[in-house]
Amino acid sequence: MSLLFAGCATSITEPGAVPKIERFAYRGGGLVLRQADGECRIVAAGEISPAMVSSLTLVMREVEKQRACSKKWLELNITDGLLGQAITAGSMLRNRGYSTRLQPGSVCHTPCLLVFAAGVQRVIPSDSLLVRLGFSQIPPDEDFGGRHCETELNNNQQLTLARYLRAMLAASTADRMFRMINEANCQEVHELPVRDALTMGLATGG
């Protein structure tokens, strides 16, 4: 069993009008659900994996039970992960009206960027020095990627990725991201300056 969240959710009640906090652990990372003043915020740290998607599903169900969240956010502190799982997680977020935000100090590469792209609003910390964005080669999994240095997707994989990006972003932004992802290789991460993420429409605000 790769999932560890069963029985691992804990609630923290802090003095005064401090948010309710619940923690959900999974192998390779964890999620924290913070609820206060009509806002529900999930903080994700670790790898994007099947265990992460299962845990995220569990947390989202908890949010839906509350029926008191006028704003819903996913904060990301994730570098690596599987592309297929990133697309699944991103689709779940958009279908439920979540916005996304990068945590200060985070490093967000291709899988993380795909989840980030799913937010209704997509926010990067105002101090651009606090985050690093970049396009990395797609890691191989059963759905995407291969063991070559260059990213090589077959026709069906390219179609899935293109449709996902087009569903999340404006056409010009989606097409630019698609090209950048396909151009990535194993030799280096192609840095994306925060100002470029804002200009191209990947981020909606800082």
Side-chain angles (χ1 to χ4, degrees):
M1 282 289 289
S2 61
L3 301 185
L4 299 181
F5 57 76
C8 294
T10 60
S11 298
I12 301 175
T13 303
E14 300 179 11
V18 176
K20 176 185 177 184
I21 300 174
E22 296 177 275
R23 303 182 187 278
F24 302 78
Y26 66 90
R27 183 163 297 170
L31 305 175
V32 177
L33 172 60
R34 185 182 181 93
Q35 302 173 70
D37 301 324
E39 178 179 284
C40 289
R41 178 159 51 96
I42 303 170
V43 180
E47 299 179 353
I48 302 172
S49 65
M52 182 267 197
V53 172
S54 296
S55 193
L56 183 61
T57 301
L58 177 68
V59 178
M60 286 180 167
R61 286 175 183 164
E62 289 297 313
V63 171
E64 290 168 3
K65 289 178 184 177
Q66 301 301 321
R67 299 182 181 275
C69 301
S70 57
K71 297 179 181 179
K72 295 181 289 187
W73 289 88
L74 178 72
E75 287 194 4
L76 292 162
N77 187 9
I78 289 175
T79 303
D80 299 316
L82 301 177
L83 195 75
Q85 302 304 316
I87 288 175
T88 299
S91 299
M92 290 165 54
L93 292 168
R94 178 59 64 91
N95 290 340
R96 291 163 178 77
Y98 278 76
S99 293
T100 52
R101 181 187 293 132
L102 298 183
Q103 279 208 314
S106 62
V107 178
C108 189
H109 291 164
T110 295
C112 169
L113 289 174
L114 287 172
V115 177
F116 178 71
V120 178
Q121 298 294 320
R122 302 175 295 279
V123 177
I124 296 176
S126 55
D127 185 347
S128 62
L129 297 177
L130 293 177
V131 297
R132 294 180 61 188
L133 313 177
F135 289 93
S136 55
Q137 185 187 12
I138 294 172
D141 64 35
E142 62 184 22
D143 297 315
F144 287 92
R147 300 195 178 277
H148 306 288
C149 183
E150 293 77 21
T151 293
E152 294 183 359
L153 302 180
N154 63 36
N155 290 338
N156 288 336
Q157 292 167 345
Q158 290 192 34
L159 184 59
T160 297
L161 178 60
R163 283 178 172 172
Y164 172 81
L165 291 171
R166 282 290 189 103
M168 301 301 160
L169 303 165
S172 59
T173 306
D175 291 346
R176 184 174 175 185
M177 275 196 71
F178 182 81
R179 289 194 301 272
M180 289 177 169
I181 290 171
N182 275 280
E183 290 170 359
N185 58 52
C186 67
Q187 297 173 356
E188 62 179 338
V189 174
H190 297 281
E191 298 288 340
L192 177 67
V194 171
R195 63 178 179 277
D196 289 357
L198 288 162
T199 300
M200 68 186 279
L202 173 57
T204 59

